[in-house]
């Protein structure tokens, strides 16, 4: 009996030391869970989740303080991805934080802009260029569409505009979207008038 | 000549051919229209950059736009005329989006410019120069893929090309432009093949043609005899869709299966469409850039189907009007063939390098898309798939939005979008539409992911910058405060000294006044004493 006790005590001690050492030696800097959550967030930095940016929201979720349905720009896709990551049930977007909208970018009416730099200070990703009393403009490729620049503008010259896809960025609509469009259009057939793009999407080359 | 053993790829099917409508009559040359709308992007890769200005007069063969980067191609003027505008115009694209085009108004003079020096003895020209010529002439794959040919010719470093493959399969129903090119320009095609062999140093040229084009095969064999070049082998392959897909054609001809990750050049093959070979011949031997192509106008919605040699930029509406116009019950305009093509919203789109066919269907041939029924797991799509995928599984994953699974487990990107699965599905499920959607959706998500990483970096950089500014400002303030404190500490001593100085001055002044008073007193006393003595 004593041998068994001794063997297990020694084993327990040795393994405990090993674990303790491993815990010190392979210590992970930062919060890996928050990193993973952060990677799924859209990085709009809009603050609609009530946290000052995506990273703080990710940390709040990791701590269990925030729910996964507070990100309107990410929408359903982000909620689903977060639910998969955290192993919880997906839920609809929380209405108090906003609604899911199509991708937009800010546009400054340069005729009206007075060059006050307030929007530059508000932009979380430095996507606005300009200097005091000089015209400002938005770098479209860097704009996340967070709308944080709209409110500070004293002359209301910033507008959110839908992002027009280029040929390279365009994606095929899913057949379900196409069916929805077809129901709205005339009998779902392709008319050959000019500029009937919506109708065109219902055409089917395969026959 | 020994008979080549041919192989059979899995799947495939036999659609109705509909080739006879358009392949009987010779290629006709289209008359120059009143306006050409030339898109700046007619190839895979970066959009070409315009090098002419609005209002400028250009000559035929003059370069209108230069290649922007390695994977890109320049664009040349098909005739002489005035550049009226550089603006957005409808282009043949499934999105119906507009894209930048050069609008050229032909002046009817058709004055030409010798764009390049003709090299009739191309065998003496260095391969590198020939490749540069192919690049400068704006030649891209004319089979529909429009990949810049010069990039293909560069091959894969470290792998020698042993066989040049000329693709004359033209497996897509209705289309017959390659057929007519092979019949009428067989020698140009084969001479193009000779140039290609010379450029890549290949010792063999296989020409694969589906056996539903006996006239084309005969014309090519006659041309090969005339050229007396034993390196050519013209092979009639069985007519089965989609044998024109490059890797499937290689499978049919050699039995080699090449996976998606492997490029055909890595296996020592260089594939080119027959019309591309003819264009390379014209660029090298005649010094002409690519400004025209042969296009099939066909389908039940046209009065007179046929093949036309037309300038790039000619609007489909102009071309169809010249070709005899529409039938009264015309219903649908398709760019490309019925299997791989897409419907167009308007016929006001220009002919591009990619345009091998405008298919116009009359109402009875273009029924309203039947509503899809649920999948019954019959497996017909999997039987028909030439690249051995499981389309029903891919459909399941694409519908569920499980793109990762569709990509990793179902090998979605192996799909060549031949459209057989959609065509054979008894439930009318538009499978290939789901796959196109899933592929572009995956690319879109990748782009968004990339953009969000950039946004994260910029946000974090901004935060660090603000933090740094704050610290710098605090440090500066602290320094100032310290300076002030130091000044204050020094000030009292100076004040005391100042007080001392003043007092000393006062005391001095008092002392001086006292001395003076005493002096005056002494004088007075002396004067009174003098008076007493007198």
């Amino acid at each position: 009996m004593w041998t068994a006790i001794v063997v297990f005590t020694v084993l327990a001690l040795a393994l405990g030391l090993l674990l303790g050492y491993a815990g010190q030696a392979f210590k992970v800097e930062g919060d890996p869970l928050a990193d993973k959550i952060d990677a799924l967030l859209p990085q709009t930095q809009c603050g609609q989740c009530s946290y000052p940016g995506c990273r703080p929201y990710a940390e709040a979720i990791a701590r269990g303080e925030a729910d996964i349905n507070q990100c309107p720009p990410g929408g359903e896709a982000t909620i689903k991805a977060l639910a998969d990551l955290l192993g919880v049930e997906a839920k609809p977007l929380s209405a108090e934080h906003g609604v899911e909208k199509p991708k937009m970018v800010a546009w400054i009416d340069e005729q009206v802009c007075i060059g006050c730099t307030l929007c530059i200070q508000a932009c979380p990703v430095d996507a606005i260029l300009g200097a005091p009393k000089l015209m400002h403009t938005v770098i479209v490729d860097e704009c996340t569409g967070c709308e944080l620049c709209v409110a500070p503008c004293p002359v209301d010259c910033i507008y959110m505009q839908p992002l027009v896809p280029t040929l390279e960025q365009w994606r095929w609509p899913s057949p379900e979207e196409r069916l929805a469009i077809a129901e709205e259009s005339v009998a779902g057939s392709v008319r050959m008038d000019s500029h009937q793009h919506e109708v065109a999407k219902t055409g089917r080359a395969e026959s | 000549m020994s008979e080549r053993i041919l192989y059979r790829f899995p799947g495939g099917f036999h659609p109705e051919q509909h080739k006879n409508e358009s392949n009987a009559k010779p290629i006709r040359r289209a008359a120059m229209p009143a306006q050409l709308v030339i898109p700046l992007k007619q190839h895979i890769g970066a959009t070409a950059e315009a090098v002419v200005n609005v209002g400028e007069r250009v000559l035929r063969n003059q370069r209108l736009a230069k290649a922007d980067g390695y994977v890109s191609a320049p664009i040349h003027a098909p005739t002489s005329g005035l550049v009226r505008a550089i603006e957005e115009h409808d282009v043949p694209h499934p999105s119906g989006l507009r894209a930048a085009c050069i609008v050229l108004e032909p002046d009817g003079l058709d004055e030409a410019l010798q764009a390049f020096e003709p090299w009739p003895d191309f065998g003496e020209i260095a391969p590198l120069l020939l490749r540069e010529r192919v690049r400068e002439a704006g030649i891209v794959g004319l089979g529909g893929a429009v990949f810049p040919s010069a990039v293909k010719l560069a091959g894969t470093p470290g792998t020698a090309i042993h066989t040049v493959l000329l693709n004359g399969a033209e497996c897509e129903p209705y289309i017959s432009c390659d057929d007519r090119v092979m019949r009428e320009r067989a020698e140009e095609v084969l001479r193009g093949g000779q140039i290609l062999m010379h450029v890549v140093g290949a010792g063999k040229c296989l020409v694969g043609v589906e056996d539903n084009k006996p006239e084309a095969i005969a014309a090519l064999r006659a041309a090969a005899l005339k050229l007396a070049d034993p390196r050519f082998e013209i092979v009639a392959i069985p007519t089965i869709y989609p044998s024109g897909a490059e890797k499937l054609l290689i499978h049919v001809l050699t039995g080699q299966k090449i996976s998606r990750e492997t490029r055909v050049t890595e296996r020592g093959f260089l594939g080119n469409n027959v019309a591309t070979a003819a264009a390379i011949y014209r660029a090298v031997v005649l010094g002409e850039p690519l400004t025209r192509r042969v296009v099939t106008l066909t389908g039940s919605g046209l009065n007179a189907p046929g093949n036309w040699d037309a300038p790039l930029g000619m609007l489909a509406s102009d071309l169809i009007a010249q070709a005899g116009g529409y039938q009264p019950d015309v219903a649908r305009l398709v760019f490309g063939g019925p299997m791989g093509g897409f419907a167009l919203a308007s016929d006001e789109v220009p002919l591009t390098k990619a345009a091998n066919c405008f298919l116009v269907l009359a109402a009875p041939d273009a029924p309203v898309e039947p509503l899809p029924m649920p999948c019954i797991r019959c497996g017909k799509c999997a039987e028909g798939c030439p690249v051995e995928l499981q389309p029903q599984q891919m459909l399941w994953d694409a519908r569920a939005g499980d793109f990762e699974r569709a990509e990793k487990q179902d090998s979605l990107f192996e799909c060549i979008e031949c459209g057989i699965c959609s065509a054979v599905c008894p439930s009318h499920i538009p499978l290939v539409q789901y796959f196109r959607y899933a592929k572009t959706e995956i690319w879109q998500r990748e782009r968004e992911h990339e953009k969000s990483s950039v946004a994260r970096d910029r946000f974090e950089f901004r935060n660090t910058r603000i933090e740094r500014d704050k610290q710098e400002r605090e440090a500066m303030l602290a320094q100032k405060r310290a300076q002030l404190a130091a000044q204050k500490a020094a000030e009292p001593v100076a004040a005391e000294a100042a007080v001392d100085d003043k007092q000393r001055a006062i005391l001095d002044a008092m002392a001086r006044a006292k001395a003076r008073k005493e002096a005056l007193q002494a004088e007075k006393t002396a004067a009174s004493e003098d008076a007493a003595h007198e």
Side-chain angles (χ1 to χ4, degrees), chain A residues 38-43 45 52-56 80 103 105 120-127 139-144 163-179 187-197 200-207, chain B residues 41 45 47 90-91 93-99 326 330-334 337-339 341-348 365 368-372 399 419 422-423 428-430 432-434 436-437 440-441 444 447-449 451-456 458-462 465:
Chain A
D38 194 33
L40 296 177
L41 295 175
Q43 304 303 323
Q45 319 296 356
C54 295
R55 178 82 210 177
K80 192 172 167 287
K103 280 250 176 304
V105 284
I120 297 181
Q121 291 160 39
C123 180
V125 289
D126 292 332
I139 310 171
V140 175
D141 285 347
E142 307 294 358
C143 177
T144 64
L163 194 59
V164 184
T166 63
L167 287 186
E168 287 81 13
Q169 292 162 351
W170 178 80
R171 70 162 179 76
W172 283 89
S174 87
E176 272 115 25
E177 287 170 53
R178 283 157 50 99
L179 277 178
S189 69
V190 174
R191 296 214 317 259
M192 286 171 57
D193 329 347
S194 298
H195 319 308
Q196 297 273 329
H197 306 319
K201 288 173 188 156
T202 64
R204 178 168 180 241
E206 292 76 36
S207 52
Chain B
K41 186 177 160 99
T47 304
D90 281 345
V91 291
H93 190 271
S95 64
L97 287 172
R98 308 179 128 224
Y326 296 111
V330 57
R332 189 173 297 166
L333 173 62
V334 176
M339 299 297 293
F342 52 85
L344 289 171
S346 151
D347 59 1
E348 303 270 306
D365 291 330
V368 172
E369 201 171 333
L371 278 180
R399 256 190 187 157
S422 294
H428 308 296
I429 301 172
V432 76
Q433 297 297 345
Y434 277 97
R436 283 172 169 169
Y437 152 69
T440 46
E441 180 71 26
Q444 167 136 324
R447 272 196 304 273
E448 267 169 20
H449 189 76
K451 196 179 169 184
S452 77
S453 321
V454 172
R456 184 187 298 119
R458 290 177 77 90
F459 178 63
E460 280 169 7
F461 176 74
R462 180 173 184 269
R465 193 193 64 219

Side-chain angles (χ1 to χ4, degrees), chain B residues 489-500:
Chain B
E491 256 167 21
V493 186
E496 252 170 54
V499 170
D500 282 359

Side-chain angles (χ1 to χ4, degrees), chain B residues 17 30 59 68 71 96 121 133 142 214 227 258 326 376 380 443:
Chain B
Q17 288 297 307
L59 300 178
D68 184 18
V71 184
D121 301 317
R133 166 66 55 86
L142 296 179
L227 289 175
I258 303 177
Y326 296 111
I376 54 169
K380 278 200 171 166
W443 288 330

